[in-house]
Each structure stands twice: as structure tokens, then as C-alpha cells.
Amino acid sequence: MMGVRVLCFVLMVLITPYGWYTWVFALGAVFLPYVAVVFANVGATDRVARSENPERQIATPVDSAPPPAPADRVLRIQESAPPPRRGEGE
């Protein structure tokens, strides 16, 4: 369709004397992209939408032993004094 559109542009400019057919070529050049997009989108909606059950695809591993208990750990955070600035401690 884009080739026909380009042909409409070329014929609109090259064919003289200008008349009613010039307007036909101009309308073809303007509206052919719209028609091409509509045809392209109609072909994309022909697919049948199916619902998928996600539980069939996800397999859970079977563990007989419980997970190990986390060890009790304590984190201690202690702030230290900031380092002296240049020129102050000299």
C-alpha cells in the first residue's frame, strides 16, 4: 500500500493539466496510510485468547526436613569520634 501511496504522490505532481484526478491522487496519498494501518491491526486480532493456569507450570519441590533455625546473632554498632580536621590538631 505504501508503494501505491508513493505512486499517487508522483502521479499527482507529474500529470498535467491538473484536474479532478489530481484530487483523487491526493486523497489516495493521504488516506492510504490509514487504510494500511487498519488492515494490519485487523490481522493481529485473529488470535484466540486462552487462559493459562499458572499452577500447572509451577512445580514446588517437596522437602521432608524443616529449614534450619537461624542462629542468634547480635550486631553491635558503635560510633567513633570523627577524625580531626586539617590544621586543627597540629
Side-chain angles (χ1 to χ4, degrees):
M1 284 203 176
M2 291 302 118
V4 175
R5 180 183 186 211
V6 170
L7 182 66
C8 284
F9 271 122
V10 170
L11 291 175
M12 182 178 66
V13 174
L14 293 181
I15 294 182
T16 54
Y18 299 121
W20 61 270
Y21 44 84
T22 305
W23 291 104
V24 172
F25 292 141
L27 290 174
V30 170
F31 289 111
L32 274 175
Y34 172 76
V35 173
V37 168
V38 169
F39 281 140
N41 288 337
V42 167
T45 59
D46 290 343
R47 298 182 195 142
V48 176
R50 298 180 193 157
S51 63
E52 295 182 13
N53 188 0
E55 293 177 2
R56 290 185 180 177
Q57 297 176 0
I58 300 173
T60 56
V62 178
D63 265 346
S64 60
D72 291 334
R73 296 183 183 178
V74 177
L75 295 177
R76 296 180 191 254
I77 300 174
Q78 184 176 1
E79 291 186 28
S80 59
R85 294 184 185 172
R86 288 187 175 182
E88 288 183 5
E90 294 179 11

